[in-house]
Amino acid sequence: MAACCFRRSIASQLSKVLDLPPENLIKSISAVPVSKKRHVADFQLSIASVTEDSSSESSAQDLHLQAQKLAERLKCDAVVSEISTGPGTVNFRINRELLAKTVLQQVLKDGSEYGVKSELFCTVPRQKVVIEFSSPNIAKKFHIGHLRSTIIGNFIANLKVALGHEVIRMNYLGDWGMQFGLLGVGFQCFGNKEKLKSSPLQHLFEVYVQINKEADDENVKKLAKDFFRKLEEHDEQTLSLWKQFRDFSIEEYIRIYKRLGVHFDEYSGESFYQQKSQEVLKMLEDKGLLQKTVKGTGVVDLSEKKDLSLFSTVMRSDGTSLYITRDLAAAIDRMNKHSCDTMIYVTDKSQSSHFQHLFQILKLMGYDWAERCQHVSFGLVQGMKTRRGEVVFLEDVLNEVRSRMLQNMASAKTTKEIEDPIETAEKVGLAALIIQDFRGLLSSDYQFSWDRALQSRGDTGVFLQYTHARLHSLEQMHGNEQLTDVNVACLQEPDAISVLQHLLRYDEVLYQSSQDLQPKHIVSYLLTLSHLAAVAHKTLPVKGSAPEVAQARCCLFQAARSVLANGMKLLGITPVTQM
């Protein structure tokens, strides 16, 4: 990583002056974000992070004074051409030609691994991670919350894999419970085997809606209870029908996930844990954790004073398990099966207390690994409607975004003849959805807007795709061979330096996202990269420039496109080459 050799060089000089090991200083030296003011510095050291006496009482004046004293003891060398101070920082400007040469060589050499090979990650142990995400309920609509869970979980999995971790992508389906009693009865009344095969999600949803209208009818209630009881008793005919519901639904989900560019290593579900949840209840009882209430339900006391002021219900009065009991069984089973280091659950924030209870009960049961389980929660999306009305299925959203994008592309003056406009519209549309979703904190609710998401200018996924396609066609026009002997003296214009400085920061942005699992850092970085590349594309023409200058600029744009593509892929976006 380009930034690493510069950080190491600065740290090595600092370590002699501060009498600290260089490795302790690496993370205190950060690349300076590009701003309109055009910083002369490329890296800065925060004084507060390296001085022992910089308590919170230290005034800004003290820190500035300390920065000045430290700067006076440092010398410029072959790497650092200028040292200055800012508010509580020592700033380092890298030799301009060395900056260009090192960044370009490193980006083009590392390719898709640029940034992830950084020493910032050398202290991060490689782990085995189970990530549970998407997890729709069979026969219920795949609502927009499931879309958020799917793209967020996919991003976390992509990031973990890129950083060298072993990841198991798991889809934990809602495929059990009393609603299957109702669905079974509904299918016996209104079901159609052919429709079940051809469009299972749509058909089962329609059946469920129809039977729900009669759900208060005592006879229907009794039939539904009987159907579910038979299911729990593994009655062959009942189980066979339920299996068809599940298998056909999974087949259709796989097809839809393929459109999203998402795959799973394992399809699990609540149904797997029917028996095992009874074993969990037995374990809770043996450990003295299961308490019976007056109503006959089973609860686990989670209060500090053990006065039942906070508890979790884990058993119905008839002895059957609940959702949380099945989740307990699933967590224990996964840990036994995969021996993973950590488990991540991606669901909306309304389930936060459910996961707090889940992890707390696991700890009470003596499972220390519960400490390493994590719930990544996200907010709600309002206002996502298609032209036909409220979103019922994920496919509605994908079709809508594709058709709107096709329409926009057809009316745009810049659109060229494209080999496969439908596929391009789908990829660009998906980028629009993902960037609109990932721009803020995941836990924030946001108002969805088709018009805002699909704008070709501004901070959108469409703009990222447009920039990538434009840089790609520049490469095609001016030879896209790997460029080596570039004269970096031709890349000293401010707009070229801004792109190089920004490329320098990529590993820090990846590190930030790896720490808090928030995609917004990468999104913000890629949008800035696209804006900087767009400006450079205008002010640094390749066409009509002297061969040496054209080659150097080509190399700069190739590096920008490479990092842009890497970041987009991490977010779950397939970069397009024509638009």
Side-chain angles (χ1 to χ4, degrees), residues 146 184 190 240 278 428 541:
H146 293 123
F190 313 111
S240 159
Q278 290 302 317
V428 176

Side-chain angles (χ1 to χ4, degrees), residues 3 7 29-33 42-44 501 504-505 508:
R7 275 194 215 101
I29 302 162
S30 57
V32 178
D42 303 302
F43 287 93
Q44 61 181 201
Q501 285 177 318
L504 208 50
R505 285 189 60 233
E508 291 180 19

Side-chain angles (χ1 to χ4, degrees), residues 44 84 184 331 492:
Q44 61 181 201
S84 60
Q492 299 308 303

Side-chain angles (χ1 to χ4, degrees), residues 74 319 467:
L74 299 168
T467 306

